[in-house]
Amino acid sequence: MSKILVTGATGTTGQQVVEALLAQGADIRLGVRTPSKVANFVERGAEAVVYDYDRPETLQEAMTGVDRVFLLTPFNEHSVELTKTAVQAAEAAGVSFVLKLSAVGADPEAPGGPGKSHGLAENVIKASNLAWTMLQPTFFQDNILNFQGASIKGQGHIYGASGEGKASFVSAGDIGRAAATILLNPEPHHGQSYVLTGPEAFNNQQVASMVGEIVGKPVTAINLTPEQYGEGMRANGASEWMIENMLVLEGIKAKGWAEAVSPAYTQITGQPGEHMFDYLSANKARLVA
Ligand SMILES: NC(=O)c1ccc[n+]([C@@H]2O[C@H](COP(=O)([O-])OP(=O)(O)OC[C@H]3O[C@@H](n4cnc5c(N)ncnc54)[C@H](OP(=O)(O)O)[C@@H]3O)[C@@H](O)[C@H]2O)c1
């Protein structure tokens, strides 16, 4: 059986990739900075290895003996350089296939934001000797819990600067299931880029209404100007890079550029995509104080 390395295995998406691979009995190695964080996965048969972009020598060690890699770079200003480092390590270690977690709208010609950096990183992989597939998810359903959970619980508010703009939010669970399907049988997916979305698009007020229905109390969306949104992030200690990139993302949502629904998840897995209401309902405990 081919060994698969999952990078970012402690994060929102990586954990879901691991769950889906373990459910299929795959032979997996988890690239992590802190092995104790994945003790539960190791008990269930995964192997853990230290993989730290800040210590590039760990990458080739982690990839030695691995055939396929789920490649995740953290959301920061170094993602293109990190991808170069990872690709060099993969080639040196004899990896044959990389599945990159990219983003919808990845385009090296984009004026800026995550679309541009993911587009440039995709090009690094495309120029390598590795076979590849790109997963290009839209906004995660999980963002509502991870980034709005505290204000939903504390104030009954969802904050944004995207107005009435809708996004076809996808669950990290679906990304994990699509990734596992591809990693277990990559050949039919070589050279393909898949936009992953949920089955329906929502704006922030519609998300707030859904959350309100689930938690049984009113939840409203507060629409900020980009300046107010940036100031709020700055007051919470966000870097200027993070503010700039988050404002690009809010702008994409505001313009309706993240509204389209893609059939790719169902084409890859044969299953319907997870609906946002079902995802939020299943995670109700994280939305109530
Ligand atoms: N959120 C969205 O709506 C969205 C939409 C489309 C695409 N994306 C893309 O998804 C990616 C982020 O995925 P995610 O949300 O699943 O990530 P996440 O939850 O933020 O987790 C980041 C992962 O990267 C690891 N990591 C951080 N720094 C590292 C380093 N120096 N060396 C090795 N590992 C490191 C973290 O490990 P530790 O546990 O050690 O910190 C963690 O496992 C980004 O590329 C982003 O552009 C996100």
Side-chain angles (χ1 to χ4, degrees):
M1 199 191 319
S2 296
K3 193 178 271 293
I4 299 167
L5 174 71
V6 180
T7 64
T10 56
T12 301
T13 315
Q15 288 185 59
Q16 296 296 333
V17 177
V18 175
E19 286 289 357
L21 285 169
L22 283 176
Q24 300 286 323
D27 181 10
I28 56 174
R29 185 183 285 176
L30 314 183
V32 293
R33 292 192 292 186
T34 315
S36 60
K37 284 191 184 178
V38 290
N40 170 38
F41 289 142
V42 171
E43 273 171 27
R44 292 159 61 196
E47 179 192 343
V49 67
V50 171
Y51 182 104
D52 188 341
Y53 284 111
D54 296 330
R55 291 191 288 137
E57 70 280 5
T58 61
L59 274 60
Q60 191 177 330
E61 286 166 26
M63 290 185 186
T64 299
V66 164
D67 186 45
R68 304 165 188 176
V69 174
F70 174 77
L71 185 63
L72 181 148
T73 49
F75 186 49
N76 67 32
E77 60 269 59
H78 307 300
S79 61
V80 181
E81 282 307 312
L82 300 185
T83 304
K84 284 182 190 162
T85 309
V87 164
Q88 279 167 7
E91 287 181 324
V95 167
S96 66
F97 172 76
V98 168
L99 176 61
K100 171 178 159 54
L101 181 66
S102 182
V104 68
D107 179 358
E109 303 299 327
K116 184 177 185 75
S117 48
H118 276 300
L120 291 169
E122 285 191 357
N123 274 357
V124 171
I125 294 170
K126 289 174 181 175
S128 76
N129 296 325
L130 305 163
W132 54 266
T133 301
M134 310 298 173
L135 283 184
Q136 300 175 330
T138 182
F139 294 86
F140 297 176
Q141 295 176 5
D142 309 64
N143 294 352
I144 306 302
L145 300 175
N146 293 343
F147 307 130
Q148 306 272 3
S151 61
I152 289 169
K153 283 192 272 195
Q155 306 158 24
H157 293 324
I158 285 176
Y159 290 94
S162 52
E164 300 295 307
K166 292 182 178 178
S168 50
F169 295 90
V170 62
S171 74
D174 277 358
I175 302 171
R177 286 180 279 275
T181 304
I182 294 167
L183 287 162
L184 288 166
N185 183 22
E187 284 78 10
H189 305 284
H190 282 182
Q192 301 293 318
S193 300
Y194 296 114
V195 173
L196 294 182
T197 74
E200 196 177 340
F202 302 99
N203 64 31
N204 281 350
Q205 189 50 56
Q206 291 170 315
V207 173
S209 299
M210 266 190 287
V211 174
E213 187 182 336
I214 290 162
V215 303
K217 68 170 194 183
V219 177
T220 49
I222 308 292
N223 189 46
L224 305 172
T225 64
E227 292 73 22
Q228 290 169 326
Y229 190 85
E231 273 313 309
M233 288 188 70
R234 203 167 278 115
N236 283 316
S239 69
E240 291 306 311
W241 180 90
M242 184 62 79
I243 294 168
E244 186 186 323
N245 278 261
M246 289 305 296
L247 285 174
V248 169
L249 291 171
E250 289 298 293
I252 286 170
K253 241 191 269 177
K255 290 172 188 130
W257 292 350
E259 188 175 342
V261 168
S262 159
Y265 176 76
T266 299
Q267 288 168 349
I268 295 165
T269 65
Q271 302 296 319
E274 186 166 16
H275 195 278
M276 183 109 168
F277 189 87
D278 296 333
Y279 169 80
L280 294 171
S281 299
N283 290 282
K284 177 179 173 181
R286 290 179 60 191
L287 294 166
V288 290

CSV table of all heavy atoms in Angstrom, one decimal, residues 153-214:
chain,number,residue,atom,x,y,z
A,153,LYS,N,-21.7,33.6,20.3
A,153,LYS,CA,-22.1,33.2,21.7
A,153,LYS,C,-22.2,34.4,22.6
A,153,LYS,O,-23.2,34.5,23.4
A,153,LYS,CB,-21.0,32.3,22.3
A,153,LYS,CG,-21.1,30.9,21.8
A,153,LYS,CD,-20.2,29.9,22.6
A,153,LYS,CE,-18.8,29.9,22.1
A,153,LYS,NZ,-18.0,28.7,22.6
A,154,GLY,N,-21.3,35.4,22.5
A,154,GLY,CA,-21.3,36.5,23.4
A,154,GLY,C,-22.2,37.6,23.1
A,154,GLY,O,-22.8,38.2,24.0
A,155,GLN,N,-22.4,37.9,21.8
A,155,GLN,CA,-23.2,39.1,21.4
A,155,GLN,C,-24.4,38.8,20.5
A,155,GLN,O,-25.2,39.7,20.2
A,155,GLN,CB,-22.3,40.1,20.6
A,155,GLN,CG,-21.0,40.5,21.4
A,155,GLN,CD,-19.9,41.0,20.4
A,155,GLN,OE1,-20.2,41.4,19.3
A,155,GLN,NE2,-18.7,40.9,20.8
A,156,GLY,N,-24.4,37.6,19.9
A,156,GLY,CA,-25.5,37.3,19.0
A,156,GLY,C,-25.2,37.9,17.6
A,156,GLY,O,-26.1,38.3,16.9
A,157,HIS,N,-23.9,38.2,17.3
A,157,HIS,CA,-23.6,38.9,16.0
A,157,HIS,C,-22.6,38.1,15.2
A,157,HIS,O,-21.7,37.4,15.8
A,157,HIS,CB,-22.9,40.2,16.3
A,157,HIS,CG,-23.9,41.2,16.9
A,157,HIS,ND1,-25.2,41.3,16.6
A,157,HIS,CD2,-23.6,42.2,17.8
A,157,HIS,CE1,-25.8,42.3,17.3
A,157,HIS,NE2,-24.8,42.8,18.1
A,158,ILE,N,-22.7,38.2,13.9
A,158,ILE,CA,-21.7,37.8,12.9
A,158,ILE,C,-21.2,39.1,12.3
A,158,ILE,O,-22.0,39.9,11.9
A,158,ILE,CB,-22.3,36.8,11.9
A,158,ILE,CG1,-22.6,35.5,12.5
A,158,ILE,CG2,-21.5,36.7,10.6
A,158,ILE,CD1,-23.3,34.5,11.6
A,159,TYR,N,-19.9,39.2,12.2
A,159,TYR,CA,-19.3,40.4,11.6
A,159,TYR,C,-18.7,40.2,10.3
A,159,TYR,O,-18.1,39.1,10.0
A,159,TYR,CB,-18.2,41.0,12.6
A,159,TYR,CG,-18.7,41.6,13.8
A,159,TYR,CD1,-18.8,40.8,15.0
A,159,TYR,CD2,-19.2,42.9,13.9
A,159,TYR,CE1,-19.3,41.3,16.2
A,159,TYR,CE2,-19.7,43.4,15.1
A,159,TYR,CZ,-19.7,42.6,16.2
A,159,TYR,OH,-20.2,43.1,17.4
A,160,GLY,N,-18.8,41.1,9.4
A,160,GLY,CA,-18.2,41.0,8.0
A,160,GLY,C,-18.2,42.3,7.3
A,160,GLY,O,-18.8,43.3,7.8
A,161,ALA,N,-17.6,42.3,6.2
A,161,ALA,CA,-17.6,43.5,5.3
A,161,ALA,C,-18.0,43.1,3.9
A,161,ALA,O,-17.4,43.6,2.9
A,161,ALA,CB,-16.2,44.2,5.4
A,162,SER,N,-18.9,42.1,3.8
A,162,SER,CA,-19.2,41.6,2.5
A,162,SER,C,-20.6,41.9,2.1
A,162,SER,O,-21.1,41.4,1.0
A,162,SER,CB,-19.0,40.1,2.4
A,162,SER,OG,-19.6,39.4,3.5
A,163,GLY,N,-21.3,42.8,2.8
A,163,GLY,CA,-22.7,43.2,2.4
A,163,GLY,C,-23.6,42.0,2.2
A,163,GLY,O,-23.7,41.1,3.0
A,164,GLU,N,-24.3,42.1,1.0
A,164,GLU,CA,-25.2,41.0,0.7
A,164,GLU,C,-24.6,39.9,-0.1
A,164,GLU,O,-25.2,39.0,-0.5
A,164,GLU,CB,-26.3,41.6,-0.2
A,164,GLU,CG,-27.1,42.8,0.4
A,164,GLU,CD,-27.9,42.3,1.6
A,164,GLU,OE1,-28.7,41.3,1.4
A,164,GLU,OE2,-27.8,42.9,2.7
A,165,GLY,N,-23.3,40.0,-0.3
A,165,GLY,CA,-22.6,39.0,-1.1
A,165,GLY,C,-22.6,37.6,-0.5
A,165,GLY,O,-22.5,37.4,0.7
A,166,LYS,N,-22.8,36.7,-1.4
A,166,LYS,CA,-23.0,35.3,-1.0
A,166,LYS,C,-21.7,34.5,-1.2
A,166,LYS,O,-21.0,34.8,-2.2
A,166,LYS,CB,-24.1,34.6,-1.7
A,166,LYS,CG,-25.5,35.1,-1.4
A,166,LYS,CD,-26.5,34.4,-2.2
A,166,LYS,CE,-27.9,34.8,-1.8
A,166,LYS,NZ,-29.0,34.1,-2.6
A,167,ALA,N,-21.5,33.4,-0.4
A,167,ALA,CA,-20.5,32.4,-0.7
A,167,ALA,C,-21.0,31.0,-0.6
A,167,ALA,O,-21.9,30.8,0.3
A,167,ALA,CB,-19.3,32.6,0.3
A,168,SER,N,-20.5,30.1,-1.4
A,168,SER,CA,-21.0,28.7,-1.4
A,168,SER,C,-20.1,27.9,-0.5
A,168,SER,O,-19.5,27.0,-0.9
A,168,SER,CB,-21.0,28.2,-2.8
A,168,SER,OG,-19.7,28.4,-3.4
A,169,PHE,N,-20.2,28.3,0.8
A,169,PHE,CA,-19.3,27.7,1.9
A,169,PHE,C,-19.3,26.2,1.8
A,169,PHE,O,-20.3,25.5,1.6
A,169,PHE,CB,-19.9,28.0,3.3
A,169,PHE,CG,-19.9,29.5,3.6
A,169,PHE,CD1,-20.9,30.3,3.3
A,169,PHE,CD2,-18.8,30.0,4.3
A,169,PHE,CE1,-20.9,31.7,3.7
A,169,PHE,CE2,-18.8,31.4,4.6
A,169,PHE,CZ,-19.8,32.2,4.3
A,170,VAL,N,-18.0,25.6,1.9
A,170,VAL,CA,-17.8,24.2,1.9
A,170,VAL,C,-17.3,23.7,3.2
A,170,VAL,O,-16.6,24.5,3.9
A,170,VAL,CB,-16.8,23.8,0.8
A,170,VAL,CG1,-15.4,24.4,1.0
A,170,VAL,CG2,-16.7,22.3,0.6
A,171,SER,N,-17.7,22.5,3.6
A,171,SER,CA,-17.2,22.1,4.9
A,171,SER,C,-15.8,21.4,4.8
A,171,SER,O,-15.5,20.8,3.8
A,171,SER,CB,-18.2,21.0,5.6
A,171,SER,OG,-18.1,19.8,4.9
A,172,ALA,N,-15.0,21.6,5.8
A,172,ALA,CA,-13.7,21.0,5.8
A,172,ALA,C,-13.8,19.4,5.8
A,172,ALA,O,-13.0,18.7,5.2
A,172,ALA,CB,-12.9,21.4,7.0
A,173,GLY,N,-14.9,18.9,6.3
A,173,GLY,CA,-15.2,17.5,6.2
A,173,GLY,C,-15.3,17.1,4.8
A,173,GLY,O,-14.8,16.0,4.4
A,174,ASP,N,-16.0,17.8,3.9
A,174,ASP,CA,-16.1,17.5,2.5
A,174,ASP,C,-14.7,17.6,1.8
A,174,ASP,O,-14.4,16.8,1.0
A,174,ASP,CB,-17.1,18.4,1.8
A,174,ASP,CG,-18.5,17.9,2.0
A,174,ASP,OD1,-18.8,16.9,2.6
A,174,ASP,OD2,-19.4,18.6,1.5
A,175,ILE,N,-13.9,18.6,2.2
A,175,ILE,CA,-12.6,18.7,1.6
A,175,ILE,C,-11.8,17.5,2.0
A,175,ILE,O,-11.1,16.9,1.2
A,175,ILE,CB,-11.9,20.0,2.1
A,175,ILE,CG1,-12.7,21.3,1.7
A,175,ILE,CG2,-10.5,20.1,1.5
A,175,ILE,CD1,-12.1,22.5,2.4
A,176,GLY,N,-11.9,17.1,3.2
A,176,GLY,CA,-11.2,15.9,3.7
A,176,GLY,C,-11.6,14.6,2.9
A,176,GLY,O,-10.8,13.8,2.5
A,177,ARG,N,-12.9,14.5,2.7
A,177,ARG,CA,-13.4,13.3,2.0
A,177,ARG,C,-13.0,13.3,0.5
A,177,ARG,O,-12.6,12.3,0.0
A,177,ARG,CB,-14.9,13.2,2.1
A,177,ARG,CG,-15.4,12.7,3.5
A,177,ARG,CD,-16.9,12.6,3.7
A,177,ARG,NE,-17.5,13.9,3.9
A,177,ARG,CZ,-17.7,14.5,5.1
A,177,ARG,NH1,-17.2,13.9,6.2
A,177,ARG,NH2,-18.3,15.7,5.2
A,178,ALA,N,-13.0,14.5,-0.1
A,178,ALA,CA,-12.6,14.6,-1.5
A,178,ALA,C,-11.1,14.3,-1.5
A,178,ALA,O,-10.6,13.5,-2.4
A,178,ALA,CB,-12.9,15.9,-2.0
A,179,ALA,N,-10.3,14.8,-0.6
A,179,ALA,CA,-8.9,14.6,-0.6
A,179,ALA,C,-8.5,13.2,-0.4
A,179,ALA,O,-7.7,12.6,-1.1
A,179,ALA,CB,-8.2,15.5,0.5
A,180,ALA,N,-9.2,12.5,0.5
A,180,ALA,CA,-8.9,11.1,0.7
A,180,ALA,C,-9.2,10.2,-0.5
A,180,ALA,O,-8.4,9.3,-0.9
A,180,ALA,CB,-9.7,10.6,1.9
A,181,THR,N,-10.3,10.5,-1.2
A,181,THR,CA,-10.7,9.8,-2.4
A,181,THR,C,-9.5,9.9,-3.4
A,181,THR,O,-9.1,8.9,-4.0
A,181,THR,CB,-12.0,10.3,-3.0
A,181,THR,OG1,-13.0,10.2,-2.0
A,181,THR,CG2,-12.4,9.5,-4.2
A,182,ILE,N,-9.0,11.1,-3.6
A,182,ILE,CA,-8.0,11.4,-4.6
A,182,ILE,C,-6.7,10.7,-4.1
A,182,ILE,O,-6.0,10.1,-4.9
A,182,ILE,CB,-7.8,12.9,-4.8
A,182,ILE,CG1,-9.1,13.5,-5.5
A,182,ILE,CG2,-6.6,13.2,-5.7
A,182,ILE,CD1,-9.2,15.0,-5.5
A,183,LEU,N,-6.3,10.9,-2.9
A,183,LEU,CA,-5.0,10.4,-2.4
A,183,LEU,C,-5.0,8.8,-2.5
A,183,LEU,O,-3.9,8.3,-2.7
A,183,LEU,CB,-4.8,10.8,-0.9
A,183,LEU,CG,-4.4,12.3,-0.8
A,183,LEU,CD1,-4.6,12.7,0.7
A,183,LEU,CD2,-3.0,12.6,-1.2
A,184,LEU,N,-6.1,8.2,-2.4
A,184,LEU,CA,-6.1,6.7,-2.4
A,184,LEU,C,-6.1,6.2,-3.8
A,184,LEU,O,-5.7,5.0,-4.1
A,184,LEU,CB,-7.4,6.2,-1.7
A,184,LEU,CG,-7.3,6.3,-0.2
A,184,LEU,CD1,-8.6,6.1,0.5
A,184,LEU,CD2,-6.2,5.4,0.4
A,185,ASN,N,-6.4,7.0,-4.8
A,185,ASN,CA,-6.4,6.6,-6.2
A,185,ASN,C,-6.1,7.8,-7.1
A,185,ASN,O,-7.0,8.4,-7.8
A,185,ASN,CB,-7.8,6.0,-6.6
A,185,ASN,CG,-7.8,5.4,-8.0
A,185,ASN,OD1,-6.7,5.2,-8.6
A,185,ASN,ND2,-8.9,5.3,-8.6
A,186,PRO,N,-4.9,8.3,-7.1
A,186,PRO,CA,-4.6,9.6,-7.7
A,186,PRO,C,-4.7,9.7,-9.2
A,186,PRO,O,-5.0,10.7,-9.8
A,186,PRO,CB,-3.2,10.0,-7.2
A,186,PRO,CG,-2.7,8.9,-6.4
A,186,PRO,CD,-3.7,7.8,-6.4
A,187,GLU,N,-4.3,8.5,-9.9
A,187,GLU,CA,-4.1,8.6,-11.3
A,187,GLU,C,-5.2,9.3,-12.1
A,187,GLU,O,-5.0,10.1,-12.9
A,187,GLU,CB,-3.8,7.2,-11.9
A,187,GLU,CG,-2.4,6.7,-11.6
A,187,GLU,CD,-2.2,6.2,-10.2
A,187,GLU,OE1,-3.3,6.0,-9.5
A,187,GLU,OE2,-1.1,5.9,-9.7
A,188,PRO,N,-6.5,8.9,-11.8
A,188,PRO,CA,-7.6,9.6,-12.6
A,188,PRO,C,-7.7,11.1,-12.4
A,188,PRO,O,-8.3,11.8,-13.2
A,188,PRO,CB,-8.9,8.9,-12.1
A,188,PRO,CG,-8.5,7.7,-11.4
A,188,PRO,CD,-7.1,8.0,-10.9
A,189,HIS,N,-7.0,11.6,-11.4
A,189,HIS,CA,-7.1,13.0,-11.0
A,189,HIS,C,-5.8,13.8,-11.4
A,189,HIS,O,-5.7,15.0,-11.1
A,189,HIS,CB,-7.4,13.1,-9.5
A,189,HIS,CG,-8.6,12.4,-9.1
A,189,HIS,ND1,-9.9,12.8,-9.4
A,189,HIS,CD2,-8.8,11.2,-8.5
A,189,HIS,CE1,-10.8,11.9,-8.9
A,189,HIS,NE2,-10.1,10.9,-8.4
A,190,HIS,N,-4.8,13.1,-12.0
A,190,HIS,CA,-3.6,13.8,-12.3
A,190,HIS,C,-3.9,15.0,-13.2
A,190,HIS,O,-4.6,14.9,-14.2
A,190,HIS,CB,-2.6,12.8,-13.0
A,190,HIS,CG,-1.9,11.9,-12.1
A,190,HIS,ND1,-1.0,11.0,-12.6
A,190,HIS,CD2,-2.0,11.7,-10.8
A,190,HIS,CE1,-0.5,10.3,-11.6
A,190,HIS,NE2,-1.1,10.7,-10.5
A,191,GLY,N,-3.2,16.1,-12.9
A,191,GLY,CA,-3.4,17.3,-13.7
A,191,GLY,C,-4.7,18.0,-13.6
A,191,GLY,O,-5.0,18.9,-14.4
A,192,GLN,N,-5.5,17.6,-12.7
A,192,GLN,CA,-6.9,18.3,-12.5
A,192,GLN,C,-6.9,19.3,-11.4
A,192,GLN,O,-6.2,19.1,-10.4
A,192,GLN,CB,-7.9,17.2,-12.2
A,192,GLN,CG,-8.1,16.1,-13.3
A,192,GLN,CD,-8.6,16.6,-14.6
A,192,GLN,OE1,-9.5,17.4,-14.6
A,192,GLN,NE2,-8.0,16.2,-15.7
A,193,SER,N,-7.7,20.3,-11.6
A,193,SER,CA,-7.9,21.3,-10.5
A,193,SER,C,-9.4,21.3,-10.2
A,193,SER,O,-10.2,21.4,-11.2
A,193,SER,CB,-7.5,22.7,-11.0
A,193,SER,OG,-6.1,22.7,-11.3
A,194,TYR,N,-9.8,21.1,-9.0
A,194,TYR,CA,-11.2,21.0,-8.6
A,194,TYR,C,-11.6,22.1,-7.7
A,194,TYR,O,-11.1,22.3,-6.6
A,194,TYR,CB,-11.4,19.7,-7.9
A,194,TYR,CG,-11.2,18.4,-8.7
A,194,TYR,CD1,-10.1,17.6,-8.4
A,194,TYR,CD2,-12.0,18.1,-9.8
A,194,TYR,CE1,-9.9,16.4,-9.2
A,194,TYR,CE2,-11.8,17.0,-10.6
A,194,TYR,CZ,-10.7,16.1,-10.3
A,194,TYR,OH,-10.5,15.0,-11.0
A,195,VAL,N,-12.6,22.9,-8.1
A,195,VAL,CA,-13.2,23.9,-7.2
A,195,VAL,C,-14.2,23.1,-6.3
A,195,VAL,O,-15.1,22.4,-6.8
A,195,VAL,CB,-14.0,24.9,-8.0
A,195,VAL,CG1,-14.7,25.9,-7.1
A,195,VAL,CG2,-13.0,25.7,-8.8
A,196,LEU,N,-14.0,23.2,-5.0
A,196,LEU,CA,-14.9,22.6,-4.0
A,196,LEU,C,-15.8,23.6,-3.3
A,196,LEU,O,-15.3,24.6,-2.7
A,196,LEU,CB,-14.1,21.8,-3.0
A,196,LEU,CG,-13.3,20.6,-3.4
A,196,LEU,CD1,-12.5,20.0,-2.3
A,196,LEU,CD2,-14.1,19.6,-4.2
A,197,THR,N,-17.1,23.4,-3.4
A,197,THR,CA,-18.1,24.3,-2.7
A,197,THR,C,-19.1,23.4,-2.0
A,197,THR,O,-19.1,22.2,-2.2
A,197,THR,CB,-18.8,25.2,-3.8
A,197,THR,OG1,-19.8,24.3,-4.4
A,197,THR,CG2,-17.9,25.8,-4.8
A,198,GLY,N,-19.9,24.1,-1.2
A,198,GLY,CA,-21.1,23.4,-0.7
A,198,GLY,C,-22.2,23.5,-1.7
A,198,GLY,O,-22.0,24.0,-2.8
A,199,PRO,N,-23.4,22.9,-1.3
A,199,PRO,CA,-24.4,22.8,-2.3
A,199,PRO,C,-25.3,24.1,-2.5
A,199,PRO,O,-26.1,24.2,-3.4
A,199,PRO,CB,-25.3,21.7,-1.7
A,199,PRO,CG,-25.0,21.5,-0.3
A,199,PRO,CD,-23.6,22.1,-0.1
A,200,GLU,N,-25.0,25.1,-1.6
A,200,GLU,CA,-25.8,26.3,-1.7
A,200,GLU,C,-25.0,27.5,-1.2
A,200,GLU,O,-24.2,27.4,-0.3
A,200,GLU,CB,-27.1,26.2,-0.8
A,200,GLU,CG,-28.2,27.2,-1.1
A,200,GLU,CD,-29.5,26.9,-0.3
A,200,GLU,OE1,-29.7,25.8,0.2
A,200,GLU,OE2,-30.3,27.8,-0.2
A,201,ALA,N,-25.3,28.7,-1.7
A,201,ALA,CA,-24.6,29.9,-1.3
A,201,ALA,C,-25.4,30.8,-0.4
A,201,ALA,O,-26.7,30.8,-0.5
A,201,ALA,CB,-24.2,30.7,-2.5
A,202,PHE,N,-24.8,31.4,0.6
A,202,PHE,CA,-25.5,32.2,1.6
A,202,PHE,C,-24.7,33.5,1.8
A,202,PHE,O,-23.4,33.5,1.8
A,202,PHE,CB,-25.5,31.5,2.9
A,202,PHE,CG,-26.2,30.2,2.8
A,202,PHE,CD1,-25.5,29.0,2.8
A,202,PHE,CD2,-27.6,30.1,2.8
A,202,PHE,CE1,-26.1,27.8,2.7
A,202,PHE,CE2,-28.2,28.9,2.7
A,202,PHE,CZ,-27.5,27.7,2.7
A,203,ASN,N,-25.4,34.6,2.1
A,203,ASN,CA,-24.8,35.8,2.6
A,203,ASN,C,-24.8,35.8,4.1
A,203,ASN,O,-25.3,34.9,4.7
A,203,ASN,CB,-25.4,37.1,2.0
A,203,ASN,CG,-26.8,37.3,2.5
A,203,ASN,OD1,-27.2,36.9,3.6
A,203,ASN,ND2,-27.6,37.9,1.6
A,204,ASN,N,-24.1,36.8,4.7
A,204,ASN,CA,-23.9,36.7,6.2
A,204,ASN,C,-25.2,36.8,6.9
A,204,ASN,O,-25.4,36.2,8.0
A,204,ASN,CB,-23.0,37.9,6.6
A,204,ASN,CG,-21.5,37.6,6.3
A,204,ASN,OD1,-21.2,36.5,6.0
A,204,ASN,ND2,-20.7,38.6,6.5
A,205,GLN,N,-26.2,37.5,6.4
A,205,GLN,CA,-27.5,37.6,7.1
A,205,GLN,C,-28.2,36.2,7.1
A,205,GLN,O,-28.8,35.8,8.1
A,205,GLN,CB,-28.4,38.7,6.5
A,205,GLN,CG,-29.7,38.9,7.4
A,205,GLN,CD,-29.3,39.2,8.9
A,205,GLN,OE1,-28.5,40.0,9.2
A,205,GLN,NE2,-29.9,38.3,9.7
A,206,GLN,N,-28.1,35.6,6.0
A,206,GLN,CA,-28.7,34.2,5.9
A,206,GLN,C,-28.0,33.2,6.8
A,206,GLN,O,-28.6,32.4,7.4
A,206,GLN,CB,-28.6,33.7,4.4
A,206,GLN,CG,-29.6,34.5,3.5
A,206,GLN,CD,-29.3,34.2,2.0
A,206,GLN,OE1,-28.2,34.2,1.5
A,206,GLN,NE2,-30.4,34.0,1.3
A,207,VAL,N,-26.6,33.4,6.9
A,207,VAL,CA,-25.9,32.5,7.8
A,207,VAL,C,-26.4,32.8,9.3
A,207,VAL,O,-26.6,31.9,10.1
A,207,VAL,CB,-24.4,32.7,7.7
A,207,VAL,CG1,-23.6,32.0,8.8
A,207,VAL,CG2,-23.9,32.3,6.3
A,208,ALA,N,-26.5,34.1,9.6
A,208,ALA,CA,-26.9,34.5,10.9
A,208,ALA,C,-28.3,33.9,11.2
A,208,ALA,O,-28.5,33.4,12.3
A,208,ALA,CB,-26.9,36.0,11.0
A,209,SER,N,-29.2,34.0,10.2
A,209,SER,CA,-30.6,33.5,10.5
A,209,SER,C,-30.5,32.0,10.7
A,209,SER,O,-31.2,31.4,11.6
A,209,SER,CB,-31.5,33.7,9.2
A,209,SER,OG,-31.6,35.1,9.0
A,210,MET,N,-29.7,31.2,10.0
A,210,MET,CA,-29.5,29.8,10.2
A,210,MET,C,-29.0,29.5,11.6
A,210,MET,O,-29.5,28.6,12.3
A,210,MET,CB,-28.6,29.2,9.2
A,210,MET,CG,-29.2,28.7,7.9
A,210,MET,SD,-28.0,27.7,7.0
A,210,MET,CE,-27.0,29.0,6.3
A,211,VAL,N,-28.0,30.3,12.0
A,211,VAL,CA,-27.4,30.0,13.3
A,211,VAL,C,-28.5,30.3,14.4
A,211,VAL,O,-28.6,29.6,15.3
A,211,VAL,CB,-26.2,30.9,13.5
A,211,VAL,CG1,-25.7,30.8,15.0
A,211,VAL,CG2,-25.1,30.5,12.5
A,212,GLY,N,-29.2,31.4,14.2
A,212,GLY,CA,-30.3,31.8,15.1
A,212,GLY,C,-31.3,30.7,15.3
A,212,GLY,O,-31.7,30.4,16.4
A,213,GLU,N,-31.7,30.1,14.2
A,213,GLU,CA,-32.7,29.0,14.2
A,213,GLU,C,-32.1,27.8,15.0
A,213,GLU,O,-32.8,27.2,15.8
A,213,GLU,CB,-33.0,28.6,12.8
A,213,GLU,CG,-34.1,27.6,12.7
A,213,GLU,CD,-34.4,27.2,11.2
A,213,GLU,OE1,-34.1,28.0,10.3
A,213,GLU,OE2,-34.9,26.1,11.0
A,214,ILE,N,-30.8,27.6,14.8
A,214,ILE,CA,-30.2,26.4,15.4
A,214,ILE,C,-30.0,26.6,16.9
A,214,ILE,O,-30.3,25.7,17.7
A,214,ILE,CB,-28.8,26.1,14.7
A,214,ILE,CG1,-29.1,25.5,13.3
A,214,ILE,CG2,-28.0,25.1,15.5
A,214,ILE,CD1,-27.9,25.6,12.4
